[in-house]
Amino acid sequence: MLSTQTPAELTAATLPSDGGVLVGRLFDPEQAGPCVVAVHGDRLVDLTDAVPTVSELFERDDLLEFVRSHEGGREWALEDVVAATFAGASGRPRLLSPIDLQVIKAAGVTFATSMLERVIEERTKGDPTAAAAVRERVQGAVGGAIASVKAGSAEAARVKQVLIEEGLWSQYLEVGIGPDPEIFSKAPVLSSVGTGAQIGVLERSTWNNPEPEVVLAVTSAGRIVGATLGNDVNLRDFEGRSALLLAEAKDNNASCAIGPFIRLFDASFTIDEARAVDVSLEITGDDGFELQGVSSVRAMSRSFEELVAHAVGRHHSYPDGFVLFTGTMFAPTQDRDEPGNGFTHHRGDRVVIATPQLGALVNEVTTAEDAEDWSFGIRALMSNLAGRGLLR
């Protein structure tokens, strides 16, 4: 569906370039449900007999050792599963989003570039035709200085006062450089889609874009155990009209993509190395349109640990753990249809979010209304696992 590459080429493009300890999920038609899997060389090894959910897996004290050494009762050829995933072969094992019972959270406005774009959306009330003029004014006033301001610092408080006096203060600047970040619920449990799947934007949205991000996997105790890639699909026109429309802008059918696998932190890939990755974005349209961009995680205004600490703690528990989208600096301004209107998705766009350390997340754009219906929720998962004798 999404590529003409050979299975070997698809697999090489999907995986991190240097290997790593990788965990994911696949849909097994024989079981009519998901399996927890680990990548062992050219195989996907089934872990489900010991850990029926990824959520439970991440709670293990021996997580790394278990994933590296466990040999389940079944295995699949990695190339075959990747090929079936991109072929849309529903009757063959295929990759799913690598998470299950974890709550899906997101941090917004963690980069200066995207922070200013949120201000522009707000000022234009979601009208892309007015964005260029507002962008010039806002960037002229704050663009150069604000990028180096540490969120929550005394300097940030001084910048805030100046911008208030200039009539330029915004709720997005508040969460971008103020003491408290924006942490919101991106999507319901089990609703995210994986690589090779379609992603959805509302039919009536006229200004929208992908948001390529690093996604952290966090246990119930708040321990960050790994990372993957995500697409926090966003409707700029909806959020621009009112921040109270954030849920409608962010949470729709197939509007959250995660994958391809979660790479666990170990000596070969640490959280410090995750902080240094560059996440690339490539959009290719059926109309010949192409767009490329790079989001450097080093440019974040807050650390991973700070964002996680605002999400979980004595004030908020997650008994099944959670994943956290950490924000993007990418807000496309390149014109696509009309001069001055900037970028918006077309049906059929191929979106590739990639970094050598985490592989590639590939999706095709459709509408939320036409995306594959989300019908496998928590009740269906529990019923399926119980029927397979996996709930103990």
Side-chain angles (χ1 to χ4, degrees):
M1 177 180 69
L2 289 172
S3 178
T4 58
Q5 295 172 293
T6 68
E9 291 170 336
L10 275 173
T11 302
T14 296
L15 298 179
S17 60
D18 60 342
V21 184
L22 304 176
V23 172
R25 291 166 69 238
L26 64 75
F27 182 83
D28 180 8
E30 291 184 8
Q31 302 293 337
C35 295
V36 181
V37 296
V39 177
H40 287 188
D42 61 356
R43 301 171 295 139
L44 287 172
V45 174
D46 190 7
L47 309 181
T48 320
D49 60 333
V51 280
T53 66
V54 176
S55 170
E56 182 175 335
L57 171 65
F58 288 168
E59 298 296 316
R60 295 183 66 106
D61 293 332
D62 63 345
L63 173 60
L64 282 170
E65 179 185 354
F66 174 80
V67 171
R68 286 177 175 139
S69 63
H70 185 78
E71 293 292 339
R74 295 183 303 161
E75 59 183 50
W76 298 267
L78 178 59
E79 282 189 11
D80 290 347
V81 174
V82 171
T85 300
F86 284 94
S90 59
R92 294 157 57 191
R94 65 189 189 280
L95 293 176
L96 299 170
S97 167
I99 66 167
D100 40 47
L101 295 180
Q102 295 92 338
V103 174
I104 304 172
K105 306 292 286 188
V109 203
T110 56
F111 290 84
T113 302
S114 59
M115 174 175 60
L116 296 182
E117 286 299 313
R118 298 292 88 78
V119 175
I120 291 161
E121 290 168 13
E122 179 185 44
R123 296 278 166 166
T124 63
K125 304 300 182 186
D127 178 8
T129 64
V134 176
R135 183 175 296 112
E136 184 177 356
R137 178 171 178 250
V138 172
Q139 288 179 338
V142 302
I146 208 166
S148 60
V149 172
K150 177 168 177 53
S153 66
E155 182 186 6
R158 289 192 294 271
V159 171
K160 174 178 179 177
Q161 187 56 43
V162 170
L163 293 172
I164 289 174
E165 293 170 359
E166 292 292 325
L168 286 172
W169 189 249
S170 160
Q171 58 197 335
Y172 294 104
L173 293 169
E174 176 64 46
V175 296
I177 64 173
D180 295 300
E182 178 189 21
I183 305 288
F184 60 93
S185 295
K186 163 62 183 177
V189 170
L190 284 173
S191 69
S192 60
V193 301
T195 195
Q198 291 186 318
I199 51 174
V201 298
L202 288 182
E203 283 182 344
R204 63 187 192 276
S205 173
T206 59
W207 192 20
N208 48 69
N209 63 262
E211 293 190 352
E213 307 187 19
V214 169
V215 180
L216 303 175
V218 188
T219 70
S220 61
R223 184 165 62 99
I224 307 171
V225 295
T228 186
L229 296 168
N231 187 348
D232 178 14
V233 180
N234 184 46
L235 310 184
R236 301 189 69 180
D237 45 358
F238 278 72
E239 187 178 357
R241 283 193 284 125
S242 172
L244 297 180
L245 293 174
L246 180 66
E248 197 164 4
K250 293 288 189 179
D251 182 10
N252 299 290
N253 286 339
S255 66
C256 177
I258 298 175
F261 296 95
I262 294 173
R263 182 170 184 176
L264 301 181
F265 292 133
D266 64 356
S268 70
F269 182 62
T270 66
I271 192 168
D272 286 333
E273 289 171 304
R275 275 188 266 268
V277 304
D278 292 331
V279 179
S280 67
L281 172 70
E282 178 182 290
I283 302 171
T284 306
D286 290 340
D287 57 353
F289 178 85
E290 294 184 357
L291 184 150
Q292 291 85 33
V294 177
S295 183
S296 177
V297 176
R298 287 182 293 267
M300 284 180 62
S301 60
R302 304 180 195 267
S303 70
F304 288 160
E305 291 87 350
E306 181 182 357
L307 293 174
V308 169
H310 275 271
V312 65
R314 292 179 60 196
H315 65 291
H316 203 314
S317 300
Y318 297 91
D320 298 304
F322 66 100
V323 294
L324 180 66
F325 281 75
T326 57
T328 185
M329 68 181 294
F330 186 76
T333 59
Q334 180 178 331
D335 289 336
R336 181 172 197 173
D337 298 317
E338 300 291 338
N341 279 13
F343 170 85
T344 196
H345 270 310
H346 286 190
R347 187 192 290 255
D349 282 352
R350 181 175 184 266
V351 181
V352 181
I353 296 170
T355 186
Q357 298 88 343
L358 297 172
L361 172 65
V362 183
N363 301 101
E364 182 184 274
V365 175
T366 185
T367 65
E369 290 83 354
D370 288 339
E372 182 178 352
D373 187 41
W374 175 42
S375 59
F376 198 90
I378 297 173
R379 284 186 301 147
L381 176 62
M382 293 300 106
S383 176
N384 178 268
L385 293 177
R388 293 156 62 184
L390 295 172
L391 296 185
R392 296 180 290 274

